[in-house]
Amino acid sequence: PKGFIRQDGVILPYDLLSAGTRDVLALSLRFAMANHFLMNANGMLILDDPLVDLDPRRQKKAAEAFNTFANNKQVIVFTCHPHHADLLGGNRIEL
């Protein structure tokens, strides 16, 4: 892709996106790829600290996306941030 396409059709090159938008885009691409490759198969998505560089509003929205994805596929998230684990919910295992 040449960049991020806005609702008005204007294409913003990747290098003009904010760091937060880049992080959300990267997470969205991971969900899309996992959906594609796990479509009719058993499998899981494993991510390490995917919320760490997001601002609190984006963390909350990303956690909602994780929970939606987890309705159909298993999701394993590693984090050292108790607040992120609280946002994500699910079965929590502390080491």
Side-chain angles (χ1 to χ4, degrees):
K2 294 180 181 179
F4 185 78
I5 302 173
R6 295 187 330 195
Q7 289 181 350
D8 62 3
V10 173
I11 298 175
L12 294 175
Y14 183 79
D15 59 334
L16 292 182
L17 301 177
S18 69
T21 301
R22 288 181 194 182
D23 290 338
V24 169
L25 178 60
L27 187 56
S28 299
L29 288 172
R30 287 179 177 89
F31 282 131
M33 291 173 61
N35 273 328
H36 175 76
F37 289 111
L38 298 174
M39 188 179 309
N40 296 316
N42 292 325
M44 66 187 81
L45 177 63
I46 301 174
L47 295 167
D48 183 27
D49 256 334
L51 305 180
V52 73
D53 290 326
L54 301 178
D55 62 64
R57 184 180 63 81
R58 286 186 170 118
Q59 288 175 357
K60 184 177 178 191
K61 291 294 188 181
E64 291 171 8
F66 272 101
N67 289 324
T68 299
F69 187 85
N71 286 330
N72 298 311
K73 298 291 179 190
Q74 183 177 19
V75 178
I76 299 172
V77 176
F78 297 100
T79 184
C80 60
H81 301 276
H83 175 68
H84 296 173
D86 292 340
L87 278 175
L88 292 165
N91 298 321
R92 185 170 172 172
I93 300 170
E94 294 190 34
L95 303 175

